[in-house]
Amino acid sequence: MNIGQEVLKALKEEISELEYNRYIRHLSYDIKKSTGDAAIFYAPNALVVNWIKNKYREKIAHLFEIKNGSKVNIKITLKNTIEKRKTKKNVEVKQNSSLLNPSHSFDNFMVGGSNQFAYAAVKSVSENAGKVYNPLFIYGGVGLGKTHLMQAAGNVFQNEGKVVIYTTVEQFLNDFIRHVRNKTMERFQEKYRKCDVLLIDDIQFLSNKEGIQEEFFHTFEALKGAGKQIILTADKHPKKIGGLEARLQSRFEWGLVADIQPPELETKIAIIKKKCEINKVKLSEDIVNYIATVIDSNVREIEGILSKLHAYSQLMHVDIDLDFTKNVLKDQMNENRANLTMETITQIVAKDLNIKPSEIRSKGRSKNIVYARRISIYICRELTQNTMPQLAQYFGMKDHTAISHTIKKINSLIKDDEDFKVKIDELTNKITSSS
Ligand code: ADP
Ligand code: MG
């Protein structure tokens, strides 16, 4: 028995048989690829990968440490991505193995108002390497699809046989340091200056690192001079990054700078549907809409949620219905919404409906005030931890029964009145993306 198998056996002792059979049993340890620092396990699908990363990775790492005597980095990855790569005979590609995620394709990227500009720019670059926008600079918040888009272009280039390097600033820096230490800088320069396409992710980390900025500048000049495509991403516009040499900052703006904004509700829905399709999870429209309205704009959360839903439903042998989804997402929402207050919610609702927050909290009985008040109460109940008496106090109502009466009323409106439901969804979305 190898060490990986031993660790899994030890894990079996610590968890229930059901959990073991559902998830851990499917893991296989790659004894050839694993090293003293890194242990590599394969899982059969993305859901199991996520589930194990979330729930067991620390345990596995701990058990490894006990057996091994030192810390080991645990990698859980998909079996077929590695196999697919193995079957590619192209040594060139392998040598430059740029670790592009094959599922980061244009087909899997859902386009909406928030990201269509960036999408169009990357797509155009993927069809005209080095000819249209060079460099192409994509910026936007966390989890909005920058890496996905950049790698989608990378995948296209790689399939055309181009030598593509995908790297983060951190990896680039580590590689640089290693080559300096080994006195093999020519090899470093050869590698980065002779590729066909260079993709560098999260370029904001160049900030205030002079040595690597200098090296990157020369890499940039060499590639740009040779008409090779460069794509960069960052969390901010080049002007806002700060701590960058002026010559670099200006070069970042030479080609095209495109932003990605948080997705609107429809785009989120499309993304969830796509992820369900990829991960073979079946969810009703209701549930998809619910997830889209409660999650933040950070798309990265979606995959975690789907894998949680799938995993729980398997473990507990239940179908995924709306109540079940609400339960599963509670933890996640509580974490995200810890800072969301009744005040913020009331303000956003008031602004949207063109009345004053104080009117919502008043005893006013006019139609639009009652409408706004109902919506605010309902959303506060859904998104905050406040109790019914707290809600009653905040909204100036008699007591908790008045609140519970209002909530009942709203639930029946949601059932019968499609426009009302849409309004609630829209506002919930607005509120959750503001936090
Ligand atoms: P960023 O690099 O901007 O932080 P990522 O590219 O890593 O974000 O995206 C986070 C996750 O969200 C990935 O799983 C990605 O596939 C997914 N994602 C983001 N935007 C979209 C989209 N428009 N369509 C499909 N998936 C998306
Ligand atoms: Mg990224």
Side-chain angles (χ1 to χ4, degrees), residues 101 103-112 114-115 140-150 166 201-202 233-234 260 263 267 270-272 274-275 278 297-303:
N101 179 340
S103 69
H104 284 161
S105 64
F106 285 116
D107 284 346
N108 288 344
F109 191 84
M110 299 296 106
V111 186
S114 57
N115 58 26
V142 176
L144 300 184
K146 301 182 296 294
T147 301
H148 185 138
L149 266 184
M150 166 189 249
Y166 166 81
D201 220 348
D202 294 317
T233 74
I260 297 195
T267 315
I271 295 171
I272 295 171
K274 190 70 191 181
K275 299 284 173 197
I278 294 172
S297 47
N298 183 342
V299 180
R300 195 166 291 154
E301 272 183 78
I302 292 176
E303 265 154 357

Side-chain angles (χ1 to χ4, degrees), residues 123-399:
K123 190 87 188 20
S124 159
V125 160
S126 78
E127 287 157 4
N128 305 280
K131 302 221 170 59
V132 276
Y133 312 119
N134 203 14
L136 174 60
F137 192 104
I138 309 285
Y139 76 96
V142 176
L144 300 184
K146 301 182 296 294
T147 301
H148 185 138
L149 266 184
M150 166 189 249
Q151 291 204 353
N155 279 313
V156 169
F157 294 136
Q158 195 157 314
N159 291 336
E160 291 168 353
K162 293 196 169 75
V163 179
V164 178
I165 296 185
Y166 166 81
T167 180
T168 60
V169 168
E170 198 189 359
Q171 284 164 351
F172 184 73
L173 180 61
N174 288 341
D175 212 17
F176 175 72
I177 294 171
R178 195 163 50 87
H179 280 94
V180 169
R181 201 184 294 135
N182 298 342
K183 304 201 167 52
T184 50
M185 269 310 286
E186 325 75 65
R187 275 177 42 206
F188 177 88
Q189 288 167 354
E190 166 101 10
K191 174 176 167 189
Y192 288 98
R193 297 181 194 180
K194 295 271 162 64
C195 63
D196 298 314
V197 179
L198 179 62
L199 312 174
I200 302 200
D201 220 348
D202 294 317
I203 204 87
Q204 71 270 12
F205 292 120
L206 279 182
S207 172
N208 297 319
K209 299 196 178 84
E210 281 108 37
I212 196 69
Q213 282 188 31
E214 165 95 27
E215 186 56 39
F216 178 69
F217 174 77
H218 295 296
T219 307
F220 185 101
E221 290 292 280
L223 289 172
K224 171 86 187 166
K228 302 297 173 64
Q229 183 68 47
I230 301 162
I231 308 181
L232 308 168
T233 74
D235 64 351
K236 308 178 194 64
H237 190 281
K239 280 202 176 57
K240 298 248 169 79
I241 292 179
L244 281 184
E245 289 179 25
R247 58 181 185 174
L248 266 185
Q249 191 203 305
S250 74
R251 273 163 183 78
F252 289 164
E253 296 178 54
W254 268 1
L256 180 72
V257 178
D259 67 326
I260 297 195
Q261 295 295 327
E264 333 48 20
L265 189 59
E266 309 85 81
T267 315
K268 279 200 263 181
I269 291 175
I271 295 171
I272 295 171
K273 288 186 173 161
K274 190 70 191 181
K275 299 284 173 197
C276 284
E277 185 192 314
I278 294 172
N279 291 310
K280 303 201 167 51
V281 179
K282 280 210 177 69
L283 296 180
S284 67
E285 289 286 319
D286 269 18
I287 296 179
V288 171
N289 286 341
Y290 178 75
I291 298 175
T293 46
V294 299
I295 57 157
D296 271 330
S297 47
N298 183 342
V299 180
R300 195 166 291 154
E301 272 183 78
I302 292 176
E303 265 154 357
I305 289 172
L306 292 183
S307 87
K308 250 190 206 170
L309 276 178
H310 180 75
Y312 281 130
S313 84
Q314 296 258 301
L315 277 173
M316 297 157 75
H317 301 286
V318 291
D319 286 334
I320 306 178
D321 66 14
L322 188 58
D323 275 343
F324 178 71
T325 307
K326 285 189 176 178
N327 267 331
V328 169
L329 296 196
K330 236 180 205 143
D331 294 344
Q332 184 114 10
M333 283 161 53
N334 289 347
E335 269 168 42
N336 295 346
R337 319 268 174 265
N339 303 326
L340 203 56
T341 60
M342 294 194 279
E343 199 161 14
T344 318
I345 293 172
T346 313
Q347 268 166 8
I348 295 175
V349 174
K351 188 160 177 230
D352 187 87
L353 298 174
N354 239 335
I355 58 175
K356 295 201 194 85
S358 58
E359 286 177 310
I360 292 188
R361 298 181 61 190
S362 73
K363 299 226 180 315
R365 299 295 313 160
S366 78
K367 204 171 160 206
N368 57 345
I369 293 182
V370 172
Y371 179 75
R373 187 180 304 127
R374 280 185 175 152
I375 291 184
S376 307
I377 292 176
Y378 182 82
I379 297 179
C380 285
R381 179 72 186 157
E382 288 278 297
L383 297 185
T384 72
Q385 297 298 301
N386 293 291
T387 59
M388 298 247 195
Q390 284 167 327
L391 285 166
Q393 194 187 17
Y394 188 80
F395 288 99
M397 300 184 74
K398 212 169 80 213
D399 54 18

Side-chain angles (χ1 to χ4, degrees), residues 413-427:
L413 278 176
I414 288 176
K415 261 204 202 104
D416 301 335
D417 183 348
E418 184 62 24
D419 288 346
F420 184 71
K421 182 176 180 310
V422 168
K423 191 73 212 170
I424 294 240
D425 284 351
E426 220 180 82
L427 274 164

Side-chain angles (χ1 to χ4, degrees), residues 7 59-72:
V7 164
K59 276 206 179 88
I60 294 176
H62 180 68
L63 291 168
F64 247 100
E65 197 176 339
I66 293 174
K67 293 224 182 290
N68 209 25
S70 65
K71 275 209 159 55
V72 178

